[in-house]
Amino acid sequence: MEGEEFSIENPSQLLQSASDYVNYPGVPNDVAAKEFLDLFPLPVIINALQTKSEVPGLEATLVACLERIFKTKYGASFIPLYMPFVQVGLTADSQLARCLACKTVSCLLENIDEKTISAAQLIIDNGVYPLLLDCLINGNEQVATASMEAIEKLAGSQKGMEIIFPANNSDDMHLGNLSARCSSLGRVRVLSLIVKLFSISRDVALAVYNSNLLSLLEAEIRNTDDTLVSLSVLELLSELAEVQHGTEFLSKTTLVQLLSSTISDMSKEDILRSRAMMISGRLLSNDNINMFIDESMPHLISVHIECNWFINKAQCILHNYSGVKTIISVIDGRLQLESQDLNECESALEALGQIGSSNQGATLLLTISPPSARHVIDAAFDKHARGKQLASLHSLANISGETRSGSNIILNSEAEETLRCLIYEAASKSSKLTPSGLFLSVLQQDSEVRLAAYRVLTGLVARPWCLMEICSKQEIINLVTDPHMETTKIGMEARYNCCVAIHRAFMSASKLTGNPALAPIASKLQEAVSRGPYLADKIYREAQPMVRTAERF
């Protein structure tokens, strides 16, 4: 490939043509790629790249040119013939060349016809996978990212998964063994790769779990030596918590217990505790909490079962249930500290709100003694700490069911009674004295607070006592039905949703609909709902042409 027959006398001509090709508008296509390669065959381009001519900008331009060529079907069809070039590129001193080689592997995996040749087998035969891992660990940021993307694509086939997840756990290329040999930066990159692989599909996530790779993240959380590494790993756990199938596997680990330990560890940085709280909230939000708390728990515990599977199941449920209660308990403990950092406090309140977004989570927050929801309700109506108030109002909206639908809005009788009592208690300790006074006070604040207040009322109004409080204060009805109250789209929609929820609850309450004294409220709500969220005036006024005598000088 480096013979004289592939050399070029005038590299400047190649540079100009490659630059024109790189800057050609539109998506790379086979016709343009073929025209360019007819002028400058691949061996010529590769030779110019390897000989590192002294022409300024040649390497960067040729790398961009080849990347564009290999993105086409026509260009990618040459990659199997040039695997030695890929090998050399993956071990090159130049980071640009290494990045190109990694991207070339991705193009191979994306465009090759598996019916004629196996891309995974090519990677095995040419020893490409170990070189990709070396790029991941030792390359610069761009090289590491390109390598990670190539390995992700490799995981898209069964043969590729066999390469990434070897059956022999002592294999040098096993990601667990690779991580043990890395620097702290290398370990974080390996862990990032594991998270990316985990996110691809449930099958790949199962392979990650069966390879015991999630334990690497657990081990890094336990490691208290490096705050930056710990923070990076927490960010990766945050990504895992967002994966649709993630909780299914994470519930089988000690993650919840480790997060609770991080939150309660006073020796850790504030930012680590805050991130641990936020991740806990995401992990236990919505339906995810069902993975950690099984409704069959009381039955499994109370019945003597001989089958080992059921015994293990019961132990797992107890373990996770205890972990969830511990998470809530340690967050509660942090909120009781007067010296707590304000950002940490807001994170704690937001985490409680995320946990409370599910029916089961909200029930736990209100029935565990003492109820952790008390912190949310107390701060929701406190004007003196605006950040805390905003976080608490949104959290209270979640707990009250604004994000839930149908029968999931209302909690069990114990939780509902606690919710009612906490709000009335908060009102009695304030100058407003009644919940309606509290509701009105937040609706009279700035637009961000009003937005959160609309969400709170949208959820709470499903309770008869709250509906009565709202209807007892004409000012509240006037504000939520005022089409001029909000000027932003999100504000208009939040106000309208609140108005719809109040109207729905009102029309469902026979005692109120039959009360003539409340007829004006019903009429006002109906009119506001019919108007919609955006229409401020009842009648559109169309533009009218104006005819007037021209002014002449």
Side-chain angles (χ1 to χ4, degrees), residues 372-428:
S372 298
R374 72 191 188 281
H375 298 294
V376 173
I377 293 170
D378 287 342
F381 303 103
D382 182 4
K383 294 182 180 180
H384 301 295
R386 187 176 181 279
K388 285 176 60 177
Q389 184 183 28
L390 268 176
S392 296
L393 282 169
H394 283 293
S395 294
L396 179 55
N398 289 351
I399 293 169
S400 63
E402 191 266 347
T403 58
R404 302 192 294 271
S405 60
S407 60
N408 283 326
I409 295 177
I410 302 297
L411 310 172
N412 65 32
S413 58
E414 181 186 356
E416 284 295 332
E417 180 60 19
T418 301
L419 177 62
R420 187 186 71 83
C421 289
L422 287 174
I423 290 179
Y424 273 94
E425 183 181 345
S428 68

Side-chain angles (χ1 to χ4, degrees), residues 78 134 137 199 204 226 232 354 420 511:
F78 289 95
D134 182 69
I137 296 167
S199 306
V204 182
D226 194 326
S232 297
Q354 288 180 313
R420 187 186 71 83
K511 291 182 180 180

